[in-house]
């Protein structure tokens, strides 16, 4: 049987090791102290106009709706020193993500593309 002193000593050792591992993991996830700079490999981060953050897989860049949103943002000026912001609100972006995640066909994307193109023409005139 292990004595109480040995159990306490082992517990402290494991707590220290766990703390060291946690610090190491957190330092690789967070660059600095800002939680907004959390990056996930194979993903990109976009913000909506109402400052909602979306972490999207890189595969979504192949989607026509995401490409249209990024082109629209590029045309109206992407921030040079800030986060990538698409010109839509949170509800619209959540709808886009839902459609992409359910692998909808191009026929379902057409109304969104028309809506994006319509908003582009309205804001440019």
């Amino acid at each position: 049987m292990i004595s109480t002193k040995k159990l306490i000593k082992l517990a402290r050792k494991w707590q220290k090791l766990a703390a060291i591992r946690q610090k190491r993991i957190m330092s690789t996830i967070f660059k600095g102290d800002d939680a907004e700079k959390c990056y996930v490999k194979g993903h990109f981060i976009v913000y909506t106009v109402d400052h909602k953050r979306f972490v999207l897989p890189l595969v979504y860049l192949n989607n026509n709706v995401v490409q249209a949103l990024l082109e629209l943002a590029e045309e109206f000026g992407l921030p040079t020193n800030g986060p990538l912001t698409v010109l839509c609100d949170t509800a619209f972006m959540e709808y886009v993500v839902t459609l992409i995640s359910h692998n909808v066909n191009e026929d379902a994307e057409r109304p969104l593309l028309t809506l994006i193109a319509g908003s582009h023409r309205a804001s440019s005139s």
Side-chain angles (χ1 to χ4, degrees), residues 75-93:
E75 186 165 324
F76 286 95
L78 292 171
T80 55
N81 58 354
L84 175 60
T85 304
V86 291
L87 301 175
C88 66
D89 64 353
T90 300
F92 186 82
M93 193 65 188

Side-chain angles (χ1 to χ4, degrees), residues 27-71:
S27 68
T28 59
I29 292 175
F30 299 110
K31 307 298 183 193
D33 292 333
D34 192 4
E36 294 296 318
K37 294 183 179 181
C38 178
Y39 299 101
V40 180
K41 187 174 182 177
H43 292 71
F44 67 102
I45 299 172
V46 295
Y47 288 85
T48 57
V49 291
D50 49 355
H51 308 291
K52 173 74 173 164
R53 182 173 178 259
F54 287 86
V55 180
L56 305 173
L58 289 175
V59 176
Y60 283 22
L61 291 173
N62 295 328
N63 185 277
N64 295 329
V65 177
V66 174
Q67 289 176 1
L69 286 171
L70 292 175
E71 288 171 5

